[in-house]
Amino acid sequence: MPVAKPEASDSRVIAHIDMDCFYVQVEQRKHPQLRGLPTAVVQYNSWKGGGLIAVSYEARNYGVKRSMRGDEAKEVCPEIQLVQVPVARGKADLNTYREAGSQVVSILARRGRCERSSIDEVYLDLTDAAERMLTETSPHSLETIIEEALKSHVLGITSREDGIDVKEKVREWLCKSDADRRDKLLACGVLIVADLRMQVLQETQFTCSAGIAHNKMLAKLASAMNKPAQQTAVPFSSVKGLLESFPIKKMKQLGGKLGSSLQTDLGVNTVGDLWQFSEGKLQERYGINTGTWLWNIARGINGEEVEGRLLPKSHGSGKTFPGPRALKNLPSVQHWLNELCEELSERLQSDLEHNRRIARNLTLHAHAYKPNDSDSHDKFPSKSCALRYGTLKIQEDAMNLFQVGLREFLDSSKVTQGGWGITGLSVSASKIIAIPSGTCSIKKYFQGQQPICSSSKPLEDGYIETTEHPSLSFSGDEDSTSVPIELPGQEVPYFPCNGVDFGQEAAASTSGLTFCVGRESCSESNLVEPESTLPEEPRREPKTHALDQQVRKNPSVEKGKSSSILDFFRRADTNSPLQKQDQADKMQGRHQSHRRGSSQERETWHYKADEIDPSVINELPPEFQEEVRDWLRPLKRPNVVKGGSGVSIASFFSSTNKP
Ligand code: DCP
């Protein structure tokens, strides 16, 4: 349910940074010969050449879209370069992309509070930096303004159609000495963001787009307005104009049931259509909180803070088993759960070592069906328990969770005969906390911990009753309920109340285990499409990249020198496209993987969207991602590459290959 938060101040400077066709850029950095070519990254699945998950802007010019399969993309753009997502443990391995995202975050965090909101998106609170700049080096006192800032779009100020020297108008706006203080701060934000984007490009070779406004909602809307490699600012006076015609369903949290109700029940199709309804009227219809939230967003009011968070909120690992590859017995489930848990465990371990963070909750999600029961799809209940560290323990606990879920799934089915099939499995770790600083050793910290469960009820045998799964819980009356489940004769794991057990092995054998039973559908779990038949490119360390070498050799692309970025990219070899891999021979003509729940079923679930780490969604197979993104955030506007000249990040994209 959306939460209405009043705006603490309208003088904040908030930026939303969104990487451009991110996975493609990561692959192009690995394979510089792909730069400037129509390229797409495919999630491996041999059916029709695999699903496209990222499409370069050159390929978009030919009409290639993310919803296409590889074969379809080749039809509209025969020269498209398809690069496969790396594969490990028989599933997509997104580590390269995660690491690339972290690299960008570490640069962006230099100027203000930074919230990593997904694998390739970041919010920044630049208020302090902008205030400092305004005091020390106000834009109107600057002799030169960096080119990238002059290329900004400023809503209500710049219009590419009016034929006037747009850069001159931007310069005037940036340097207006008698401007409103809010606009002056925003102008500082524009300069800071332009500079940060240049730094990102110089240090990572990635371009990004940005929105700069006085709150997160407006910054996010703005960052999608002019892509790729451009930035858009929203002065206070332009908010109304921006929202007036903005499609209601594209607003964050209005892509689903609430947005549909606004359309059908109130005839609201744009944000401006909402203006006619009083706050009271909206509250009457949608409840006090949602009513106020709607009234606020219609006016561009959004008090959400930028959380200082550079690390993900949760970790997950998943895989789909479409059609004939559905898992039909416990040993095969055990095999894949072991693989998924091994990956999860590695990431938890790495988070612990590098960031001194621990996760306290383990959740298992599955997609299942019963062959003779068409109602059974998507009814496999998600299960959570306290998380114990150590691969074997995670594997054991996940398998136990699966068995509890399976039993409930089978009990809930009307059909008692005919077996079962699992078409998706995922495990995730959440409730991540930092180990308090000053703890002299991680192990000692855990040894000294009493099993305290503030939100969980300790039970006699050391098991706990969890009441929610933070990243995937439901609001209101859909809250999880706890149900005791008997596991006769099975050895069950020990769940210490602090959720972490480094030393003790599984202890009890009991039948009194209580699990959290979240009534969750599986579509939010991070399931990833299956295996590769193409060999993974040998992973090259950044140091060995040809482009990196150029960076080192070419003084013009050293940090801080901005004038020859375009030259830098032109020097990249664009004449030797990656050899096309003929996937056609390997196609098996499978059908689409999952049947999703009916829309009616889906609509009965309400997610606490803010508690879902969007980076986990990137690991879903495309068919789930579309659905989940729809719930969580507005769709992006069609990208329009606007004209422009001179050396800038944008020029990098205006290059070749237009049909
Ligand atoms: N992603 C994915 N599956 C999807 C959508 C996205 O795996 N269905 C991955 C690949 C994308 C990355 O997440 O590169 C970021 O997603 P975005 O929605 O931000 O899209 P892009 O960065 O690819 O393009 P854009 O420039 O439009 O933001």
Side-chain angles (χ1 to χ4, degrees):
M1 190 196 295
V3 178
K5 274 194 192 159
E7 200 105 39
S9 152
D10 58 14
S11 300
R12 292 186 299 163
V13 180
I14 309 292
H16 177 254
I17 317 283
D18 184 10
M19 306 307 293
D20 303 314
C21 54
F22 187 48
Y23 288 12
V24 171
Q25 289 205 76
V26 174
E27 294 302 332
Q28 287 177 330
R29 183 169 74 170
K30 248 197 262 174
H31 311 289
Q33 68 273 24
L34 292 176
R35 283 195 190 281
L37 299 179
T39 306
V41 174
V42 286
Q43 178 101 291
Y44 181 72
N45 177 329
S46 57
W47 187 63
K48 292 191 178 175
L52 269 53
I53 54 172
V55 180
S56 77
Y57 282 81
E58 291 85 358
R60 294 182 202 193
N61 287 335
Y62 287 84
V64 178
K65 295 196 171 59
R66 183 146 68 192
S67 53
M68 293 178 173
R69 315 264 338 162
D71 290 359
E72 220 177 332
K74 278 185 188 158
E75 271 167 35
V76 293
C77 175
E79 58 269 56
I80 193 162
Q81 308 290 311
L82 297 177
V83 186
Q84 203 185 104
V85 170
V87 174
R89 293 191 183 89
K91 59 184 283 300
D93 175 8
L94 305 183
N95 275 334
T96 327
Y97 309 122
R98 280 192 204 102
E99 281 159 20
S102 303
Q103 216 184 337
V104 172
V105 169
S106 67
I107 296 166
L108 294 175
R110 288 172 188 163
R111 299 299 291 274
R113 191 162 65 243
C114 176
E115 173 184 329
R116 185 172 190 178
S117 71
S118 81
I119 200 161
D120 79 329
E121 286 175 59
V122 160
Y123 286 101
L124 297 175
D125 188 334
L126 299 170
T127 313
D128 291 346
E131 276 172 354
R132 253 192 324 274
M133 178 183 272
L134 197 56
T135 319
E136 292 163 14
T137 48
S138 175
H140 73 264
S141 66
L142 294 174
E143 277 180 20
T144 52
I145 301 279
I146 62 167
E147 185 72 9
E148 202 51 47
L150 293 178
K151 289 173 123 351
S152 303
H153 302 255
V154 184
L155 294 188
I157 308 295
T158 55
S159 154
R160 305 283 151 175
E161 286 80 45
D162 60 13
I164 306 169
D165 183 350
V166 179
K167 279 198 249 170
E168 208 35 57
K169 282 185 100 176
V170 174
R171 185 192 304 278
E172 270 171 33
W173 181 82
L174 287 170
C175 302
K176 201 167 171 218
S177 59
D178 59 349
D180 178 48
R181 182 177 160 79
R182 291 178 304 206
D183 278 359
K184 282 187 177 176
L185 284 171
L186 195 65
C188 294
V190 166
L191 292 172
I192 295 167
V193 172
D195 181 48
L196 282 171
R197 289 176 47 242
M198 296 295 284
Q199 290 183 39
V200 168
L201 180 61
Q202 286 156 11
E203 296 177 38
T204 67
Q205 302 161 30
F206 299 143
T207 69
C208 55
S209 300
I212 308 117
H214 68 272
N215 66 40
K216 281 170 91 172
M217 178 186 93
L218 295 168
K220 172 132 180 142
L221 292 187
S223 70
M225 292 180 74
N226 295 288
K227 289 200 96 194
Q230 296 169 80
Q231 60 181 52
T232 306
V234 189
F236 209 75
S237 57
S238 304
V239 173
K240 202 172 167 198
L242 164 66
L243 293 176
E244 185 165 22
S245 55
F246 200 87
I248 198 79
K249 292 280 279 183
K250 293 194 174 184
M251 294 296 284
K252 188 176 174 183
Q253 302 192 39
L254 291 181
K257 191 180 169 187
L258 182 54
S260 300
S261 160
L262 286 168
Q263 281 183 316
T264 51
D265 302 335
L266 299 185
V268 167
N269 291 308
T270 66
V271 177
D273 292 343
L274 261 182
W275 297 342
Q276 60 189 294
F277 298 99
S278 68
E279 187 176 357
K281 175 88 190 159
L282 293 170
Q283 286 179 336
E284 209 176 281
R285 170 128 213 139
Y286 294 108
I288 294 197
N289 189 47
T290 305
T292 299
W293 178 80
L294 284 169
W295 192 89
N296 283 347
I297 60 138
R299 286 150 188 84
I301 299 169
N302 172 244
E304 255 181 280
E305 293 291 336
V306 173
E307 291 171 31
R309 179 165 54 80
L310 307 186
L311 301 168
K313 264 184 178 172
S314 54
H315 299 291
S317 175
K319 182 171 167 70
T320 56
F321 308 95
R325 280 183 292 168
L327 309 179
K328 299 204 172 102
N329 52 51
L330 287 177
S332 61
V333 170
Q334 175 88 68
H335 167 79
W336 281 110
L337 269 184
N338 285 351
E339 296 289 322
L340 300 178
C341 291
E342 201 176 301
E343 189 200 335
L344 183 66
S345 180
E346 269 174 24
R347 283 169 54 200
L348 286 168
Q349 210 54 46
S350 161
D351 203 2
L352 178 62
E353 277 158 27
H354 296 113
N355 310 313
R356 292 172 62 83
R357 299 198 312 161
I358 50 163
R360 295 177 299 161
N361 206 53
L362 176 70
T363 303
L364 174 124
H365 309 279
H367 263 190
Y369 69 90
K370 287 205 76 185
N372 304 320
D373 181 4
S374 58
D375 284 345
S376 65
H377 284 264
D378 291 348
K379 289 208 179 135
F380 195 102
S382 297
K383 296 288 170 192
S384 297
C385 67
L387 191 146
R388 301 186 304 151
Y389 273 65
T391 307
L392 289 176
K393 288 174 187 165
I394 295 173
Q395 289 170 335
E396 183 186 345
D397 294 350
M399 191 61 195
N400 277 309
L401 292 176
F402 175 82
Q403 287 185 324
V404 175
L406 180 65
R407 185 164 306 185
E408 203 174 300
F409 171 72
L410 296 177
D411 285 350
S412 72
S413 170
K414 285 174 244 147
V415 181
T416 50
Q417 304 292 316
W420 45 269
I422 298 294
T423 53
L425 266 183
S426 86
V427 284
S428 60
S430 59
K431 287 195 177 172
I432 298 182
I433 55 161
I435 296 171
S437 57
T439 310
C440 45
S441 92
I442 291 170
K443 209 154 184 177
K444 199 163 171 190
Y445 168 73
F446 288 116
Q447 280 159 1
Q449 282 285 298
Q450 293 302 314
I452 298 163
C453 306
S454 55
S455 62
S456 308
K457 190 170 107 195
L459 302 177
E460 277 176 20
D461 50 10
Y463 300 117
I464 62 164
E465 180 179 33
T466 52
T467 51
E468 67 167 351
H469 179 262
S471 65
L472 297 166
S473 57
F474 301 97
S475 59
D477 56 7
E478 300 295 346
D479 265 347
S480 309
T481 53
S482 294
V483 182
I485 290 156
E486 301 275 312
L487 289 178
Q490 275 184 299
E491 191 170 73
V492 289
Y494 164 72
F495 297 118
C497 283
N498 64 357
V500 182
D501 172 19
F502 276 90
Q504 287 169 281
E505 277 303 323
S509 176
T510 176
S511 59
L513 179 60
T514 299
F515 283 93
C516 156
V517 183
R519 293 169 58 202
E520 298 153 347
S521 77
C522 284
S523 41
E524 75 278 6
S525 61
N526 55 333
L527 306 172
V528 179
E529 287 204 333
E531 77 268 16
S532 161
T533 56
L534 292 181
E536 194 178 342
E537 278 294 309
R539 190 146 154 187
R540 288 180 242 169
E541 289 306 315
K543 278 184 201 152
T544 63
H545 291 161
L547 277 176
D548 285 316
Q549 283 161 5
Q550 283 192 38
V551 172
R552 287 200 300 278
K553 279 184 206 149
N554 181 354
S556 66
V557 293
E558 280 168 13
K559 186 180 167 186
K561 299 195 180 169
S562 59
S563 61
S564 54
I565 291 173
L566 193 65
D567 294 349
F568 164 57
F569 283 107
R570 284 196 180 124
R571 266 179 226 122
D573 176 14
T574 54
N575 296 324
S576 54
L578 189 75
Q579 225 182 2
K580 288 180 193 173
Q581 312 261 11
D582 183 6
Q583 292 178 311
D585 294 344
K586 295 171 182 143
M587 277 170 218
Q588 294 165 15
R590 272 196 312 272
H591 294 295
Q592 269 285 30
S593 55
H594 289 285
R595 212 203 107 221
R596 283 188 245 155
S598 68
S599 58
Q600 205 184 358
E601 273 169 5
R602 271 180 275 137
E603 284 172 358
T604 59
W605 303 117
H606 299 276
Y607 291 74
K608 285 182 182 168
D610 291 345
E611 293 179 352
I612 296 177
D613 183 349
S615 63
V616 170
I617 295 160
N618 289 322
E619 298 177 32
L620 289 162
E623 62 265 35
F624 292 148
Q625 291 193 14
E626 298 295 320
E627 188 182 353
V628 178
R629 274 176 212 283
D630 221 32
W631 289 326
L632 299 182
R633 66 178 204 194
L635 295 171
K636 286 178 181 172
R637 282 186 169 190
N639 297 305
V640 182
V641 184
K642 301 261 165 79
S645 59
V647 177
S648 75
I649 299 175
S651 327
F652 174 49
F653 277 93
S654 56
S655 55
T656 51
N657 298 300
K658 294 201 175 132

